[in-house]
Amino acid sequence: MFRIFVVLGSVFMILLIIIYWDDVGASHLYLHTPVSPGPRIPPPPPPRQQPHTSRTPSFLSDIDAFVNQFLEPGTGEPTDPAPADSGNQSEKAEERYIPRREWKIHLSPVAAELRERQEQRRRLLQEMCANDSVVFPGKNRSFDDIPNKELDHLIVDDRHGIIYCYVPKVACSNWKRIMIVLSESLLRDGVPQRDPLSIPKDLVHNSSMHFTFNKFWKRYGKFAKHLMKVKLKKYTKFIFVRDPFVRLISAYRNKFELPNANFYRRFAQVMLRRYANQPTPPASADEAFGMGIHPSFPNFLQYLLDPQTEKEMPFNEHWRQVYRLCHPCQIQYDFVGHLETAEEDAEHLLRHLKVDNVVEFPTSRRNFTASTLEADWFNTVPLETRKELYKLYEPDFRLFGYDKPDSILNE
């Protein structure tokens, strides 16, 4: 019996070791690119080792300690100063060293007006999320309750400790370029790409260029949600938004006023059949535009308001509400930019992140859809449709401080 217990105990320990290393291995992979949060006071020396106690620490406490030690600065990160030459290091080891990129230190403070603007935007978000009169699906759920597929817009840069939630039609192409440069995920001849505008558009929107929250499950398994929370707590999180109605106009102009084979096949043909009296629309976008056929702006709004639309599939990201893309009541954003103040906000944000010596936000060509033309676009839209549309996007208006468009809703 003793021999049997020894054998069974040995098998049990082997299985336990295999399971343990399988779990810790997944967590260890995550830690190969530690965060570089900028110049900080060096951490204090480690305390003297305490005598071993028989207390059994909780599983999550162990994981917290394990993860946090890799998120503290000054632990051999790529941006730490080069170690002193000891004379016995190989040339190969020296070649692996990544030189420190100096953080920009500003002698003058950020303008009080810009600091107050950010404080007001963050405060408004908190107030609206706590306001019972602002109601929308998913508002009161916890972060743990958000499905993994709804976290695909949160891009992570571990090198600088940044999380960006991108919103289509809000300068997201340029911000994605910035994230590629900062994360050094694109190499040219072995050298990280430094110029955002030189990154081809097809790579900018290629999901393989960005590490997003929805990819955590595949890489980290059961640790995914816990690691997301660690990053959300320690990293700087930012988002850029714009007037919801103007964003819709921009999406319509970009996807339906110009030939777009993908959007024509997936959406325009549906709109033409249902709302434009075109039971057999042309087979291709080129053929349709050659015949002068495309959905009108009212057709597009009918599609958005039709209950059948989301029964078939969720809203496309280009017209999905921001609260559904970025979960502002579950994630406390540190910086909220507006497209209407894009240049000032971009300069402020890059300075706040201490990377304005590494990258510059691309200069705008000022071809944004002007909010002053908003009334012209809605002239042909029935008043009842406008009011229903406002209800659909009202949470975005209120969460991010955009005025209710009374001139459009009261005509």
Side-chain angles (χ1 to χ4, degrees), residues 236-248:
T236 300
K237 306 163 290 294
F238 77 94
I239 180 177
F240 268 74
V241 297
R242 75 189 297 185
D243 180 286
F245 278 4
V246 180
R247 177 173 170 244
L248 287 180

Side-chain angles (χ1 to χ4, degrees), residues 103 160 162 182 350-351 353-360:
W103 296 87
H160 300 89
I162 301 170
L182 292 178
L350 293 178
R351 178 169 172 171
L353 297 172
K354 300 184 178 68
V355 296
D356 50 332
N357 63 320
V358 178
V359 66
E360 292 183 2

Side-chain angles (χ1 to χ4, degrees), residues 261-302:
N262 181 37
F263 276 77
Y264 179 80
R265 183 183 67 256
R266 295 174 60 196
F267 306 108
Q269 286 185 326
V270 175
M271 298 177 197
L272 292 171
R273 280 194 294 265
R274 290 182 182 173
Y275 319 115
N277 196 27
Q278 293 278 346
T280 55
S284 69
D286 290 337
E287 182 182 353
F289 275 81
M291 299 170 62
I293 297 175
H294 64 83
S296 66
F297 185 61
N299 292 155
F300 173 55
L301 300 186
Q302 284 177 283

Side-chain angles (χ1 to χ4, degrees), residues 56 72 169 226 228 379:
T56 302
E72 293 299 327
K169 309 313 301 174
H226 185 71
M228 291 181 203
N379 275 340

Side-chain angles (χ1 to χ4, degrees), residues 27 55-69 223 226 230:
S27 181
R55 182 182 64 86
T56 302
S58 70
F59 176 73
L60 285 181
S61 297
D62 283 349
I63 297 302
D64 273 331
F66 180 67
V67 170
N68 286 343
Q69 66 174 314
F223 293 106
H226 185 71
V230 171

